[in-house]
Amino acid sequence: MTASPRLERIVEITASELNERLGEALALYVTAMNYPPATVEQRAPMWLAHMMREEWRCVIALGEHDELVGVGYGYRGAAGQWWHEQVRRGLMQVSPPAVVDSWLTDYFELTELHVLPRAQGRGLGEELLRRLLEGVRSSCVLLSTPEGPSKAWKLYRRVGFEDVLRHYQFTGDPRPFAVLGRKLPV
Ligand SMILES: CC(C)(COP(=O)(O)OP(=O)(O)OC[C@H]1O[C@@H](n2cnc3c(N)ncnc32)[C@H](O)[C@@H]1OP(=O)(O)O)[C@@H](O)C(=O)NCCC(=O)NCCS
């Protein structure tokens, strides 16, 4: 017996298209991350601000009825951004300046990648990730993810992400994080 074909389709969308579906996308995000629903209010202004950043790109997965089942976005990282400065601070503590620069000079920050639980485990996350990175012009991609076994870890390892920083604590979040990266193109 062969596996049934996946019904979801993946499309790249513009910032204004994501803006129109922001409520739906943030609901997907809190469901996938298992965060309290109130997180939506905190995240909405952040997602809107990210849309204005250089080389912002977004891909979504749509189900049979055009409902959102997956979302991924990122942008070109730059000095002065909160995440950039946090990662620089961590990297400087463990790596020589040449290594810090090799990661932080020309990178795409993979900011969000989420698939609804009911659609997980069928390759959709990987396809979203690959499609998002296909159009990226930076020489590498960086992301942060909580330490510990997760579907996200398996996916990033499978796609060739290596350790950049491990067990790192971002300001204001008690959880240890890994910063992972890989050279582009994938
Ligand atoms: C991380 C996340 C986006 C991954 O999405 P996903 O669709 O579950 O992940 P994948 O694309 O890796 O699914 C692949 C799994 O399906 C299997 N699979 C089945 N059919 C497949 C196919 N045709 N192609 C590829 N993989 C397939 C793979 O073997 C793999 O199994 P494994 O995880 O046991 O190795 C998703 O799990 C998620 O939203 N998690 C919660 C939010 C989160 O943690 N986001 C990341 C924050 S850093």
Side-chain angles (χ1 to χ4, degrees):
M1 205 173 89
T2 54
S4 54
R6 240 199 353 254
L7 295 171
E8 295 88 2
R9 57 199 178 88
I10 293 182
V11 287
E12 185 180 351
I13 59 170
T14 63
S16 65
E17 285 166 334
L18 180 61
N19 207 345
E20 280 166 24
R21 304 189 77 144
L22 194 61
E24 194 186 0
L26 285 163
L28 187 161
Y29 158 78
V30 295
T31 304
M33 294 299 283
N34 204 16
Y35 284 160
T39 314
V40 166
E41 276 91 69
Q42 291 164 11
R43 284 288 167 155
M46 215 179 279
W47 283 37
L48 288 167
H50 289 165
M51 287 176 205
M52 310 299 288
R53 291 192 174 167
E54 201 182 339
E55 294 185 34
W56 179 92
R57 285 173 56 75
C58 178
V59 290
I60 56 171
L62 294 168
E64 251 185 303
H65 307 290
D66 267 355
E67 77 283 14
L68 211 58
V69 296
V71 61
Y73 79 76
Y75 47 80
R76 184 178 165 81
Q81 293 166 357
W82 183 85
W83 193 88
H84 177 105
E85 297 305 333
Q86 291 277 314
V87 172
R88 176 177 289 281
R89 184 192 66 181
L91 258 181
M92 299 266 277
Q93 287 163 7
V94 294
S95 305
V99 173
V100 178
D101 287 345
S102 74
W103 284 115
L104 290 178
T105 305
D106 178 26
Y107 73 97
F108 180 80
E109 182 192 325
L110 175 69
T111 315
E112 304 290 350
L113 181 68
H114 309 287
V115 171
L116 274 186
R118 70 170 165 83
Q120 289 176 10
R122 292 187 286 124
L124 206 51
E126 181 171 339
E127 204 176 323
L128 277 167
L129 176 60
R130 288 180 181 279
R131 285 284 293 277
L132 183 64
L133 296 180
E134 252 171 36
V136 171
R137 288 182 291 179
S138 306
S139 62
C140 61
V141 49
L142 290 172
L143 61 87
S144 53
T145 192
E147 291 281 353
S150 66
K151 285 184 180 160
W153 265 93
K154 275 175 115 173
L155 166 60
Y156 299 140
R157 287 295 197 223
R158 195 165 59 240
V159 177
F161 279 79
E162 56 177 285
D163 291 349
V164 176
L165 260 181
R166 294 295 305 271
H167 303 282
Y168 184 59
Q169 221 147 342
F170 286 91
T171 304
D173 195 329
R175 298 172 297 173
F177 276 79
V179 176
L180 305 178
R182 71 153 290 160
K183 300 296 169 195
L184 291 175
V186 172

